[in-house]
Amino acid sequence: MVELQMSEMEYYANYCATEDYNEDQTLALLRKYFESNSKSGKLLSLSRRIYEEECLNLVYSPLCVMEYVEVITRGKLLDLLGRAIGASALRKVSNKDLGKILKAISLDFDEIWNMESDFGTPLHELKYDLFDPHPNYYNGSLEISGTTLCAIENFSIVPSSYLRSITTLSQYQIGLADIMHLLVAKHLECKNFLTFDHDFMLAKDEIQRLFGLKVVMNVEEMNSIL
């Protein structure tokens, strides 16, 4: 879900850049090298098909929404920080540092909001750029044609031999969030698990056995399934 949305954003960002006739030609050439090694083009065609067809039976959970907002917000902040302090300085910035910056911006904004400050200040614009304009994100859900946001109801994890088997994935260093995505997909009775995270491919046989899910990473295969 995150990758598909990012491909759309990258497409529109590149489109806007090509409209700027004063752009540094070196940057334009570098973008071509990047695009030639990127799967964004294939993802873009897949995402367009999802948007255009209404009955694809694609589902996602609130976990995907939370991960999407996290990734999008981090990307926006890194982009702005790169322009503000330089890309080299970003190497010293951790995700926790980013979280502290976002929290400080939010607190400062709440303070001036309560003071009924005029709109259009740099802080207003920064808050809007970072927190508000997430594409297709409204009131805790992603509004994407061809997909359904499914609630997680009557879901539980209890100690059992099954749980002990699942910890095999933890031994492979697959993160808790990824394992939760698998558990929820099984709970929703999904048959295919579409992802671009190579960690899942590492344990595809175990995932098929434990969750009854076929891991699908290839864009062409995704198209054939849809």
Side-chain angles (χ1 to χ4, degrees):
M1 186 64 66
V2 174
E3 292 259 14
L4 290 173
Q5 290 295 293
M6 291 295 286
S7 70
E8 287 281 337
M9 294 178 65
E10 183 179 319
Y11 168 78
Y12 286 114
N14 289 343
Y15 175 80
C16 292
T18 57
E19 292 294 302
D20 183 1
Y21 297 104
N22 296 319
E23 181 188 37
D24 187 323
Q25 293 303 304
T26 303
L27 297 180
L29 179 61
L30 184 59
R31 182 181 298 108
K32 289 183 179 180
Y33 279 106
F34 173 79
E35 290 173 350
S36 67
N37 291 281
S38 171
K39 59 177 178 289
S40 295
K42 293 182 179 179
L43 289 182
L44 186 61
S45 64
L46 181 63
S47 65
R48 292 293 169 83
R49 183 180 173 198
I50 291 173
Y51 294 151
E52 292 169 0
E53 300 184 30
E54 297 291 335
C55 302
L56 295 178
N57 202 28
L58 286 172
V59 300
Y60 63 100
S61 76
L63 296 179
C64 295
V65 178
M66 289 183 276
E67 189 171 13
Y68 168 75
V69 173
E70 175 192 357
V71 170
I72 293 295
T73 304
R74 181 173 65 241
K76 287 178 176 291
L77 180 55
L78 287 172
D79 179 58
L80 292 172
L81 277 176
R83 287 184 259 168
I85 66 175
S88 60
L90 290 181
R91 291 179 296 178
K92 302 177 182 178
V93 179
S94 68
N95 283 344
K96 289 185 178 180
D97 294 329
L98 297 178
K100 291 177 182 178
I101 294 171
L102 290 162
K103 177 66 174 180
I105 292 171
S106 183
L107 289 175
D108 286 348
F109 179 81
D110 288 342
E111 182 177 347
I112 67 167
W113 180 262
N114 293 332
M115 296 170 58
E116 297 184 355
S117 176
D118 292 335
F119 289 98
T121 67
L123 185 56
H124 277 99
E125 294 181 9
L126 189 60
K127 175 69 162 55
Y128 175 78
D129 286 342
L130 292 172
F131 289 88
D132 291 341
H134 301 294
N136 301 325
Y137 174 63
Y138 307 98
N139 300 322
S141 67
L142 291 173
E143 296 186 359
I144 302 175
S145 299
T147 67
T148 302
L149 174 60
C150 291
I152 307 174
E153 299 178 323
N154 302 318
F155 176 78
S156 63
I157 303 176
V158 297
S160 64
S161 58
Y162 176 63
L163 179 59
R164 286 198 299 273
S165 298
I166 294 174
T167 58
T168 300
L169 304 184
S170 303
Q171 293 171 335
Y172 292 165
Q173 302 304 297
I174 295 176
L176 173 61
D178 290 340
I179 295 174
M180 286 298 297
H181 283 305
L182 293 168
L183 287 167
V184 170
K186 176 179 174 62
H187 179 70
L188 296 175
E189 300 182 348
C190 298
K191 300 302 180 185
N192 297 296
F193 191 83
L194 279 58
T195 180
F196 297 106
D197 188 336
H198 286 275
D199 286 347
F200 291 106
M201 187 56 67
L202 176 68
K204 65 176 183 177
D205 294 334
E206 287 86 348
I207 292 171
Q208 177 75 58
R209 175 172 54 82
L210 292 169
F211 304 97
L213 293 166
K214 179 182 178 182
V215 176
V216 181
M217 295 189 61
N218 184 278
V219 175
E220 287 77 12
E221 189 175 0
M222 289 183 186
N223 261 312
S224 67
I225 290 175
L226 299 180

